[in-house]
Amino acid sequence: MEKSYEKNKWPILLIVVMSTFMATLDSSIVNVALPQMARAMDVDTAQIQLVVTSYLIVIVGIILIFGKLGDMLGKTRIFTFGVAMFTLGSLLCGITGSFPVLIGARIVQAVGAAATMANNQGIITQVFPATERGKALGLTGTSVALGSLVGPGLGGIIVGAASWEYIFLINVPVGVVVLFFALKLLPRSNKKTTERLDVLGAVLFMLSIVPLFVALGQVPSLGFLNPLILTGFIVSILSFIAFIRVEQKRENPLIPLAIFKNKLFALSIFCAFITFVGLFCNSIIQPFYLQDVMTYSPEQAGLVMMIFPLILTVLAPLSGHVSDKIGSELLTFIGLLLISLGLFLMATLTEQSSLMTMVVYIVILSVGMGLFQSPNNSLIMSTVGRHQLGIAGSINALVRNMGMVCGIALATTLLYGSMSGELGYRVTDYVAGQNGAFINGMQIVYTTAAAICLFGAVLTLLRLIGKKSGAMDKTIMLENEISTNQK
């Protein structure tokens, strides 16, 4: 770590946390305002969904490009560009009355969000020493989770107190402040590179990701066998195969595929993906269960759903701090185990379940995520060299966003598929008076999500056992060598 930045490391962390929180918040905060926005702009429900999907799809399509540019041109340079673009996009979103301009402004926002998300963990890893890195990355991870989870509640408060434009305009003063201090405090980079961006790889990667996400988003309403869905999947698969072949031959690829030969990096990335799949299976199911089955008011449901982010806010930095002291792998295993247990327990909920029972299950799930996320982020960033921090951080952010989308698609597909089979007709929403069908579908979703996370826990345990056996073998060999020398 450069000494000149040691005294500013915590203000730098605050800058990164604020920008990360804003970028992830805007992926979910608009959901609650969609009906009002549709009426204001005179568009239908299908069209207004573009406000959400355009933002997410652009982020996942270009985030690796900004990670690579961060490694090539300097993470600070790309990060501050991202903050500026996000702030500009927020301003444009808040002052327009035109639907096409709004979508264009959301794309500008997404470009900025992708640039900041791709480089935030790299900046933290660069500025903080290894003894404090877990704690710092834990706070960054908390801002990601909070941004994803508190969006609907905060959006509802803003829309209720003012109008939908302020969901975006509130970002502008915060963005200006963050940009000012980012320019003043973040590590300077005088990087000059002759390396060129892998444009063909970038295009093929976008063709791998964008059709896949569009198809997954439409699966609940159109079904897997719809020709448009199948076309999206086929284009995505063929593009991904072409992407891998191109990257293997490139001297400076978009993704250095050798990074995945590091088993710890690959396993940590996989576990990050599956935990967000499980988390968003829960986040899509829980509101329906609380409000439609248990007949809680939106305010009561909101309070129950706030348990998760509140526990995460406290626990994630603490687990990061502990991982700095004792290592990360054991904590990630315990966290995955508790996440799996929490999801299995959620699968047992019925119409007769008490509030206290539900709260206990949510606490177990939350503690698991709190123990897992920070140490896992630390593992990911510690397994690569300084010259690959940007691409490692962007891969981590990419799989997180992919986990969110895949979790939502998995939950809605399993839930409505189960309900359709039980009721004998196609279902794409909660059906009043059919709580039994919903509970059965919910149990399938939670059990599947729990099994996926348990698989990650088993892989982590096998690695821990293998690591311990390897250490024992080295000790025995050393003892034998010493014994032979003494003889």
Side-chain angles (χ1 to χ4, degrees), residues 290-291 294-307 355 358:
L290 292 172
Q291 294 184 64
M294 302 301 286
T295 65
Y296 288 4
S297 69
E299 292 80 10
Q300 290 172 321
L303 286 173
V304 173
M305 293 180 71
M306 285 299 291
I307 295 170
L355 175 61
M358 193 190 323

Side-chain angles (χ1 to χ4, degrees), residues 79-119:
F79 181 87
T80 50
F81 164 79
V83 174
M85 288 291 284
F86 182 83
T87 306
L88 174 62
S90 298
L91 176 63
L92 294 174
C93 286
I95 62 176
T96 185
S98 163
F99 182 68
V101 174
L102 176 62
I103 299 303
R106 283 290 277 173
I107 291 172
V108 173
Q109 258 195 321
V111 170
T116 58
M117 287 179 182
N119 290 281

Side-chain angles (χ1 to χ4, degrees), residues 14 29 149 214 230 286 318 344 349 354 380 423 430 487:
L14 182 60
I29 194 172
L149 296 169
V214 172
L230 292 176
Q286 200 173 32
L318 289 176
F344 272 124
L349 294 173
S354 68
I380 289 168
L423 298 176
Y430 175 80
K487 288 178 182 178

Side-chain angles (χ1 to χ4, degrees), residues 69-219:
L69 288 174
D71 287 334
M72 290 169 55
L73 305 175
K75 289 174 282 296
T76 294
R77 191 175 297 171
I78 301 301
F79 181 87
T80 50
F81 164 79
V83 174
M85 288 291 284
F86 182 83
T87 306
L88 174 62
S90 298
L91 176 63
L92 294 174
C93 286
I95 62 176
T96 185
S98 163
F99 182 68
V101 174
L102 176 62
I103 299 303
R106 283 290 277 173
I107 291 172
V108 173
Q109 258 195 321
V111 170
T116 58
M117 287 179 182
N119 290 281
N120 56 12
Q121 293 182 348
I123 290 172
I124 295 303
T125 305
Q126 179 182 342
V127 170
F128 279 81
T131 53
E132 295 180 315
R133 193 173 296 153
K135 182 165 56 177
L137 288 171
L139 288 165
T140 310
T142 299
S143 68
V144 170
L146 285 177
S148 304
L149 296 169
V150 307
L154 183 59
I157 293 170
I158 293 172
V159 170
S163 63
W164 67 265
E165 290 90 346
Y166 287 93
I167 284 177
F168 302 109
L169 291 175
I170 196 171
N171 292 329
V172 177
V174 179
V176 169
V177 171
V178 169
L179 182 60
F180 173 79
F181 284 104
L183 291 169
K184 194 175 179 66
L185 297 176
L186 290 186
R188 305 274 172 161
S189 174
N190 298 316
K191 249 187 178 183
K192 291 181 181 178
T193 180
T194 56
E195 190 178 340
R196 291 187 175 184
L197 181 67
D198 178 13
V199 177
L200 178 59
V203 171
L204 287 172
F205 179 77
M206 284 190 278
L207 287 174
S208 303
I209 293 295
V210 173
L212 174 65
F213 272 54
V214 172
L216 285 173
Q218 295 300 314
V219 163

